[in-house]
Amino acid sequence: MSQTAQAVVQDLVDRAVKLGDRQLAADIRAFAAQRQFGLVFEHNRPERLRLYGKPIMKGDIVQVLPERGKKEDSSSQLLWLVNTVRGGVADLKPYQSPSYDENECEPRSVAVDDVVPVAEYDQPIYAGLKETGRVERGGDKPYQVVINGENYHALETLAFAYAGKVDCIYIDPPYNTGARDWKYNNDYVDGSDAYRHSKWLAFMERRLKLAKQLLNPNDSVLIVTIDEKEYARLELLLESVFPNATGIQTVSITINKNGVARGNQFKRADEYAVFCFFGTATPCQVDRRLYSVEFGELEKKVADDASSSRSQRKVRWEWLLRGGSNSARSDRPNLFYPIYINERSRTIEAIGDSIPREMDYHAVPGVDGLRAIWPIRPDGREATWHMSQPTLKQKLDKGFARVSTYDEKNDRYTLLYLANIQEDRLAKGELKIVGRRDDGSAILEAVGEATAIPTTVWSGAQFSAGEYGSRYIKRFLGHRSFSFPKSLYATELSIASVVADKPDARIVDFFSGSGTTAHAVMRLNHQDGGRRHSISITNNEVSEEESKKLTKRGLRQGDPEWEALGICQYVTKPRVTAAITGKTPEGDLIKGDYKFTDEFPMADGFEENAVFFDLTYEDPDAVELGVAFEEIAPLLWLRAGSRGSIIKHEQPGFAMADAYAVLFDFASVGAFIDAVKQNASIGCAYVITDDTARYASVKAQLPGVDVVRLYENYLQSFKIAAEDAVR
């Protein structure tokens, strides 16, 4: 029932108790429990989820796929129980379920390749992750994570790693316009479906309940974008699922100022972002110059200590290594020279002379005790610095040049400088120096009036979905396309408005589509030096039109040719990779600059890391017996902060990574505890044991460390997720 209805019922109960009539109070409660108030909808038959990729085992519930070249029909929706598996054949018998139409067919034997396991949404599954690729340019920064899998099960999986630890969830779910752009029970939902609103609400409610487990109840925000088709129902649903929200507010975003025709209706020019705040979370002060447009009439900053501290934003530093066009050594040979740094103090100690164009820089003598940094790209190409030696010396003397991150894997340092536009802002009083780093470089922050809280109407040019959504996809991916991508800058502002003051924020998107959320998070980090990281969940579905073409060719989901055209493989992964590397999937430099104050060549990419996973389905018995460590190893890494190396295999005694440690053999517990205590970067310790007392002993000796028992915590996490789904 809604919060208002709950309050009315509770008021009646309180009155009955005051009158001394406890039986009446009990009757009121019983009556209320039998009825729904507020948002009422059909929850439909339980949602079935196909488990593509799961090995077929005895006892599985499955569906039989149609013959290759034929489309699915009602027979492929029937449920079967796997009686035995012999070689490549599964013996099936009809599965009798009260939730679905009865299967009255005769038992049959089917090739294993022609069946797919299914599970109802409230059945526990045990998932793992399989790495499918990575890109690394961010040194020791946390990784941007992309997971290819069914989002309901991926959310259950994240509950093990991130329960109560997520700062922001941003989602762009199906808008349920009737255009057959989303599926319920493996069937597209269209405008003729009388239950399409109920299906959408049931679909969303189940995922929001899982999302609720991830959000930090003391300080976090959920953002859901939607249009007018389900806007009103969404707000009621959010009230129902999140009665603990401290506030729910809706922002209107103009995504097409000319509007899109709606038949004989008003042209649609905007959509909505619904913000749900939890605990102490509130909107952030946002730097107005960051976007170079007005949000409307912005609220004036209240000049008190709390708002002043919130308005202070780190100022962006530029890469000293030149990117984009006119950046090769041959273009400007005078800007090819060495910069000598002290690796121990991370300081710039000297600036060398330019060398002749034909001279090999390896032949230049070194300087004792210092390391020479040349303008060399990660791929080995010779480039140039952004400025001449005298200009760089001036920057260095003022504290406006410095050594930044070190990429240990590639043995590379990043050098930064403060652009002239930022120095101008400092001269105008828009920025101020608030301190100095150990290397003498300046720490700057924006002065109060440069920031403000956005209003509930966003109508700037940067929110155009066509210009900065669809066209940006083509810019990064060439001929590849994606239906209705969000404007990068609209997503960026949505997220910035709630985590601008959290440089280490964790952001989850479980309808990530083309990967705009990950892209936006990386841009935010680029602006203020943050280490925010995102977890983007998408599936690898193809469009209905593409599905028909592939089916006619005799292909199925799971075939390499089919999977290559899915959302994750074809759009999400290459888009995130391109954003980081500055290159299209074909290897060409991305043309153009980012806009709205944070302007730099897209070809420069980002100093970020990203890793890509496929969701897998594991046998819980194998996990409990400890023979599936490799499959759940990435989950341990996720829980530890998604940074550094992954412990991929079992090792004698124990193993240590950058951020966590795993005790495999309790005989090594003493050395394990000592090693963890001596390494301040270890924030999570996993103990493989079925002995509760042993686990408790380790936990007691490692205060301040997240000590997790394997495999009990892993198995219990999925059981809890399944139980919460039906509450």
Side-chain angles (χ1 to χ4, degrees), residues 22 58 186 206 218 265 270 288 306 315 421 505 510 519 548-549 603 643 692 707 710 715:
R22 296 190 175 276
K58 179 181 178 179
N186 200 46
R206 290 163 188 153
N218 300 315
Q265 300 176 345
D270 65 346
R288 289 184 287 190
V315 178
I421 190 173
F510 53 92
H519 200 159
K548 291 178 180 177
K549 293 178 182 178
R643 63 180 180 85
T692 303
V707 182
L710 294 179
L715 297 171

Side-chain angles (χ1 to χ4, degrees), residues 218-260:
N218 300 315
D219 184 9
S220 63
V221 181
L222 167 70
I223 308 169
V224 187
T225 59
I226 201 69
D227 72 0
E228 76 278 9
K229 298 293 185 182
E230 295 289 2
Y231 155 71
R233 295 180 186 86
L234 174 65
E235 284 214 346
L236 289 172
L237 179 64
L238 292 174
E239 279 191 5
S240 174
V241 176
F242 300 103
N244 60 323
T246 54
I248 298 179
Q249 195 170 20
T250 300
V251 169
S252 171
I253 307 175
T254 302
I255 61 171
N256 184 337
K257 64 180 181 179
N258 295 320
V260 177

Side-chain angles (χ1 to χ4, degrees), residues 180-491:
R180 296 178 64 83
D181 56 356
W182 71 286
K183 290 183 177 181
Y184 189 88
N185 282 350
N186 200 46
D187 193 15
Y188 287 104
V189 178
D190 61 26
S192 65
D193 190 332
Y195 289 93
R196 69 185 179 94
H197 295 298
S198 286
K199 287 181 178 179
W200 187 85
L201 288 165
F203 172 87
M204 289 296 297
E205 181 184 51
R206 290 163 188 153
R207 286 152 181 79
L208 289 171
K209 283 182 176 180
L210 291 176
K212 185 177 182 179
Q213 298 178 42
L214 303 181
L215 289 164
N216 177 356
N218 300 315
D219 184 9
S220 63
V221 181
L222 167 70
I223 308 169
V224 187
T225 59
I226 201 69
D227 72 0
E228 76 278 9
K229 298 293 185 182
E230 295 289 2
Y231 155 71
R233 295 180 186 86
L234 174 65
E235 284 214 346
L236 289 172
L237 179 64
L238 292 174
E239 279 191 5
S240 174
V241 176
F242 300 103
N244 60 323
T246 54
I248 298 179
Q249 195 170 20
T250 300
V251 169
S252 171
I253 307 175
T254 302
I255 61 171
N256 184 337
K257 64 180 181 179
N258 295 320
V260 177
R262 290 286 208 197
N264 58 356
Q265 300 176 345
F266 290 112
K267 289 184 177 181
R268 171 177 170 259
D270 65 346
E271 62 183 23
Y272 309 102
V274 184
F275 290 72
C276 295
F277 297 90
F278 303 96
T280 59
T282 58
C284 294
Q285 299 271 350
V286 178
D287 188 342
R288 289 184 287 190
R289 295 165 182 80
L290 185 64
Y291 299 92
S292 293
V293 294
E294 293 296 330
F295 302 133
E297 289 298 321
L298 293 165
E299 296 177 12
K300 291 185 178 180
K301 182 182 69 67
V302 180
D304 56 26
D305 291 341
S307 64
S308 294
S309 63
R310 195 152 215 187
S311 69
Q312 293 170 351
R313 295 286 307 279
K314 294 180 181 178
V315 178
R316 182 184 153 213
W317 292 62
E318 309 284 349
W319 289 2
L320 188 57
L321 181 66
R322 183 183 292 273
S325 59
N326 197 35
S327 62
R329 176 184 178 182
S330 57
D331 294 326
R332 306 183 72 178
N334 287 338
L335 296 183
F336 189 84
Y337 56 85
I339 298 173
Y340 298 96
I341 69 169
N342 183 320
E343 292 189 272
R344 182 183 297 272
S345 61
R346 296 283 184 95
T347 54
I348 298 174
E349 299 293 339
I351 302 171
D353 297 327
S354 303
I355 62 175
R357 181 173 176 176
E358 65 278 2
M359 184 177 182
D360 184 349
Y361 71 92
H362 293 97
V364 177
V367 176
D368 289 343
L370 301 179
R371 174 171 174 173
I373 307 296
W374 293 85
I376 307 297
R377 297 199 175 284
D379 60 6
R381 289 181 298 156
E382 296 177 345
T384 61
W385 299 119
H386 260 287
M387 61 195 69
S388 65
Q389 294 94 325
T391 303
L392 178 58
K393 181 64 168 60
Q394 293 175 4
K395 296 274 188 186
L396 192 61
D397 291 343
K398 292 186 286 188
F400 296 163
R402 62 188 176 93
V403 180
S404 182
T405 57
Y406 172 62
D407 180 352
E408 183 175 1
K409 180 177 180 179
N410 297 301
D411 190 28
R412 291 179 57 85
Y413 284 93
T414 299
L415 307 183
L416 303 178
Y417 75 98
L418 197 69
N420 291 339
I421 190 173
Q422 304 289 15
E423 288 197 55
D424 292 342
R425 292 181 64 193
L426 181 65
K428 294 176 183 177
E430 296 173 2
L431 304 178
K432 62 180 178 180
I433 297 177
V434 296
R436 296 276 177 176
R437 298 179 181 84
D438 292 341
D439 61 3
S441 62
I443 301 173
L444 301 100
E445 290 181 345
V447 176
E449 288 305 316
T451 65
I453 295 176
T455 67
T456 57
V457 177
W458 301 353
S459 58
Q462 80 276 37
F463 305 126
S464 168
E467 185 67 29
Y468 304 114
S470 300
R471 290 189 181 92
Y472 265 27
I473 292 291
K474 292 186 179 298
R475 182 170 292 184
F476 281 84
L477 301 182
H479 64 280
R480 307 183 190 194
S481 62
F482 181 80
S483 299
F484 310 115
K486 284 283 179 289
S487 161
L488 172 62
Y489 305 108
T491 301

